[in-house]
Amino acid sequence: MTLHLVVFLLFVGGRGAVENTQTLTVSQRCVEDTNTFLREINQDEPKGYAVLMYDAFGKVGSNVVGGNTNQPGLLQQCRSAHGPSFSGQYCQVFLRQGKVQYFVGICVPDSCEKDDVQTLVLYDQLQFNQMSLIPPLPSILVNQSTQEMIMTHCLSSKIAPDTSDITCLFVCCVMVAIPLGATLLTAMIRWQWKRKVEPTLESSCLNAALNLYGTLKTSSSSSSETNSWSSEESNSNHPTRTCSLQSRVYGCLQAVSIQKTTQGIFSTSTSIPVGGYASLNGIRVLSLLWIICGHSAQFPVINSLDNYKDWRKTVESSPFYVLTISGPVFMAVDTFLLLGGLLSARSLLGSINKAEDKLSLSLVGNYLLKRITRIQPLHLFIMCLTIGLISLVKWGPYWFPFIDTVMDCKTYWWANLLLISNLLPVHEICIPWTWYLSLDFQCYATTPLLVYLYRLNRSVFMVVAGGLLLMTVVASAVITAHLQLPVFQPSTMTSENYVLYYYVKPYTRYGPFLIGILTGIYLTTKKNPLLKQWWQAALGWLCCLSLLALLVGLPYILKETPANPSVPHALYQGLHRPLWALAVTWIILACEEGYGGFIKRFLSLTFWVPLSNISFACYLIHPVFIILYIGFQETPIHYTDINFMYLFLGHLVLTLAVSCMLTVLVEKPYLLPK
């Protein structure tokens, strides 16, 4: 996230109290309260509130050379101070000294507005014993001794949700209340039948309700079956007609009740049909864990570490940190795109076979509609939940990198609704990590066209597919060369061009999804195995594992951001995503054709199945926990391997627990019948 900041020069002066209010344009009340505080701390025995406020000011700590430049102070201690006519207010002053940017937490009277505080700091009015309470970093540690003020920001101690916040919270409550209410009503109806209705009638009603539930969950039900069901109802005896309405209500409620949405989620029996891609569960979950681990390590790095330089030096020195460094971590997203393309092609071809081998517009419309109902309910719930939570939380000093996200959601929420958020500038994306859902749906919408070309003319299909793949490679390489984009640790780049023009765009990320479509078509239509000899499998595994290692290791060689257009950087950026997808495709093919060995047994473990069932909710909710954790911090986080491991495990446990509830209460109840 980028903060749009205005730079002001911080003049270093020697004033002790605010005197000329017309020149400084500080409110009279703020002037009086600030002078009271400053006079008090300069007394031989200052009052307790003044000591607390002074002590709450941020001060220079050790290891500035290692990156400990932020001086957060003590937020809660500042707010606990109560003077004669004011209380302590915590504010942050963002400063720059040469190339070093940092913030200092200060404690001022709550009668001062943000502009008042900015003026007080600008003219160096906050002093103790004729020394500034916001001194510059020592020149021995920083080459530049002159401070520049970037901005000031005061954290409110009050919770004040606006109309949009309340609306979002209301939407979340309604979405959760519907399945909970259906669960309660289902139990009540069943209890009423058991208590008041004859056993034969109860059985009849329950059977009718279950039949209705079956029709709700089976999209392939024909009109003749519906007419038959209606005919049976009209010819039934009087007790069945009596329970007809109840059975209809019961069936509808049953479809969204917890009793039904929990079925299969925690089961270890694979949800993938017999003969179809059991290894995908393991690949999906391992990719998800890689992403969660990467986010757990990278989000605190933005501004929350007290030894950022030490962290960067450590993780950039060895490929063993591949789970946390952002360049290689991003390839887990390409694995998701590959799986999405594979399953989308398989699903569409299966629907065509059920429709008597016809690809009609209505079939395509139903295909896309099911995808929308698959992702949008939980997506919009997470968006509303995040907006609502932000308005209810008293944030700490490390919340500021995420401020823009809140404002973007209230302005650009419609882009998430239309699944086009990745086409907006990066600083306008609401809930930034949901860009993937927009990209995934845009790629998903191309599957019917490619399948149509495949069925129409195989030669035309191969030409179009090859042209699209070449386009993504060339576009990625050209953009990288023209903008001198990094390929390693781009989250700490000097500009936002990497995300703005490359990372989230469909024309640079379509390659893995296209390879997934080709893989799905091949696996669905193949008649003979691809691998016929053991040496073919051995050679394939050797090439696959070598390619994976090369793609992970090359960013450590190309880790310097190029100052001029670089051919190696451009080639890597253009080719590494399709090549990664091809390597993962080999793993899937080898496992499906019986050459996976222990890798297939590992990826096909039933342990992965329940985790795979909740993986969508895990992806959407895990950044919320990471942001909450960082936003609550009042002191910096210290990087060590053990600390970051515990951060990852803590985020993972919370993510898994809440994802189970979200899958049951939000994702499953709002799916269209399958």
Side-chain angles (χ1 to χ4, degrees), residues 36-229:
T36 300
F37 162 61
L38 294 176
R39 282 195 301 269
E40 193 62 47
I41 62 173
N42 282 279
Q43 300 294 323
D44 292 336
E45 295 184 5
K47 294 181 179 178
Y49 83 87
V51 174
L52 291 176
M53 291 180 65
Y54 169 79
D55 190 36
F57 270 72
K59 300 169 182 65
V60 179
S62 302
N63 197 31
V64 173
V65 174
N68 187 25
T69 54
N70 289 328
Q71 304 163 39
L74 296 172
L75 182 148
Q76 294 301 333
Q77 179 172 306
C78 174
R79 290 175 175 172
S80 68
H82 300 287
S85 59
F86 58 88
S87 297
Q89 175 185 214
Y90 181 86
C91 297
Q92 293 169 286
V93 182
F94 294 84
L95 304 165
R96 180 187 293 119
Q97 278 184 245
K99 295 182 180 180
V100 179
Q101 296 186 28
Y102 61 99
F103 74 85
V104 179
I106 64 174
C107 190
V108 296
D110 59 2
S111 55
C112 298
E113 300 293 335
K114 184 184 74 170
D115 292 340
D116 297 334
V117 176
Q118 183 169 283
T119 303
L120 292 174
V121 176
L122 187 64
Y123 287 93
D124 197 23
Q125 297 301 304
L126 302 175
Q127 295 196 357
F128 171 65
N129 286 340
Q130 296 184 347
M131 296 182 63
S132 174
L133 291 172
I134 314 174
L137 296 174
S139 57
I140 192 174
L141 302 175
V142 182
N143 293 332
Q144 176 62 260
S145 60
T146 303
Q147 288 178 316
E148 292 178 322
M149 190 198 312
I150 300 174
M151 63 174 287
T152 58
H153 176 66
C154 295
L155 276 67
S156 175
S157 60
K158 299 178 181 178
I159 296 176
D162 59 21
T163 304
S164 60
D165 299 324
I166 296 172
T167 302
C168 286
L169 293 172
F170 176 76
V171 169
C172 291
C173 292
V174 170
M175 292 184 70
V176 171
I178 289 175
L180 290 177
T183 302
L184 179 61
L185 290 174
T186 299
M188 291 175 62
I189 291 174
R190 196 178 185 93
W191 175 77
Q192 184 181 29
W193 283 351
K194 287 182 177 180
R195 185 165 179 255
K196 295 185 177 180
V197 184
E198 300 91 349
T200 57
L201 182 57
E202 176 191 352
S203 177
S204 174
C205 288
L206 287 176
N207 288 334
L210 292 175
N211 288 336
L212 177 60
Y213 173 73
T215 61
L216 289 172
K217 301 300 284 183
T218 306
S219 58
S220 60
S221 297
S222 64
S223 58
S224 61
E225 291 173 335
T226 305
N227 293 335
S228 173
W229 188 86

Side-chain angles (χ1 to χ4, degrees), residues 271-293:
S271 58
I272 301 173
V274 176
Y277 327 149
S279 61
L280 298 194
N281 287 320
I283 294 174
R284 180 183 292 111
V285 174
L286 290 175
S287 299
L288 175 68
L289 295 178
W290 196 4
I291 289 174
I292 295 176
C293 184

